[in-house]
Amino acid sequence: NDAISNRGQGAGDFGRWGGAVTFDTTTNWNYDHQSGPAGNQSDLYSVALHELVHTLGFGIFSTNSVTEWQMQLTPNQQSFNGAASKALYGGVVPLNDESEHWQEGLQSTVFGGTEMQETLMDPTVTTGTTKDLTSLDAASLIDIGWQITEPTPLPGDYKGDNRVDLADYTVWRDNLGTADPIGSYSQWVTNFGATSGGSLSVPEPAAVFVLLAALVVPLRR
């Protein structure tokens, strides 16, 4: 209904979101979200998360009205002018030529973590790699009207990517004997396999929160 499609906002503030996502069944997909793709595989988790952020309004244009995405663009439509994104990036954020993605190769930290990564919402996902939502991606969703809560810090997540896996053991081991060692081996063992994820919500209507909780949170590995 109109309340859900407009996220509870009134007339004059075009917050419409939604869409359909389809996947090519002939692609060599990695379906195991608990492990990274092989060098010749495309990561379904990364691609699905990218497309779901589009359905939430990232890069959406309308010929009938001005979307919240369009409202945040600079006059030449080559940069994103949202307040949260600018504060994080240090200025207007460059977009690709079609103004529907971040500029190719733009970097940010994993949302809720410390690991640097190519943004989820630049135009491409390299074969054999995994992408998570980054802080800049999250800031853009705040700028177009969503409320986002950061993941709770996860003991044993020494890499800063919101999951505890073998990569964190490597980081812990490499810091042994240094002047500033991180965490403990027991934290890593206790939380091995654990993940943390933030939440995405809006004030009204309540049905939107229920829908997005079901849609987005399970994708956080």
Side-chain angles (χ1 to χ4, degrees):
N1 59 33
D2 288 342
I4 292 179
S5 64
N6 288 290
R7 303 203 311 278
Q9 298 170 339
D13 187 5
F14 189 74
R16 194 168 295 278
W17 64 280
V21 180
T22 59
F23 299 94
D24 185 352
T25 57
T26 63
T27 296
N28 183 17
W29 292 110
N30 167 50
Y31 296 108
D32 184 0
H33 67 280
Q34 294 183 332
S35 64
N40 64 343
Q41 288 184 310
S42 296
D43 190 50
L44 182 64
Y45 163 81
S46 304
V47 174
L49 189 57
H50 176 103
E51 298 305 333
L52 284 172
V53 173
H54 275 309
T55 69
L56 296 175
F58 188 106
I60 289 183
F61 285 79
S62 173
T63 57
N64 300 320
S65 185
V66 179
T67 66
E68 290 194 341
W69 175 260
Q70 291 169 266
M71 290 169 60
Q72 302 292 343
L73 302 185
T74 54
N76 65 2
Q77 296 192 339
Q78 291 303 295
S79 300
F80 189 74
N81 199 37
S85 299
K86 283 198 302 182
L88 185 66
Y89 186 73
V92 293
V93 187
L95 300 171
N96 72 333
D97 290 341
E98 290 75 29
S99 307
E100 297 174 342
H101 294 90
W102 297 133
Q103 186 180 78
E104 179 68 56
L106 204 64
Q107 299 280 313
S108 183
T109 55
V110 171
F111 179 55
T114 58
E115 182 185 16
M116 287 296 296
Q117 176 203 281
E118 186 176 272
T119 53
L120 176 71
M121 299 309 295
D122 81 345
T124 60
V125 179
T126 303
T127 302
T129 63
T130 297
K131 281 189 178 183
D132 288 299
L133 187 76
T134 69
S135 297
L136 189 58
D137 301 317
S140 71
L141 291 176
I142 292 171
D143 286 327
I144 62 175
W146 299 105
Q147 293 180 347
I148 298 180
T149 302
E150 287 203 33
T152 302
L154 183 61
D157 176 23
Y158 303 134
K159 190 179 179 184
D161 59 359
N162 301 321
R163 53 183 172 268
V164 180
D165 53 21
L166 290 174
D168 298 295
Y169 171 78
T170 301
V171 174
W172 172 81
R173 182 193 61 200
D174 291 347
N175 277 267
L176 284 176
T178 64
D180 187 25
I182 57 173
S184 69
Y185 176 75
S186 61
Q187 281 184 325
W188 177 78
V189 171
T190 301
N191 292 286
F192 183 77
T195 61
S196 63
S199 63
L200 177 67
S201 63
V202 291
E204 296 290 344
V208 178
F209 172 79
V210 174
L211 174 62
L212 292 194
L215 181 66
V216 177
V217 173
L219 285 173
R220 179 70 225 122
R221 294 193 298 172

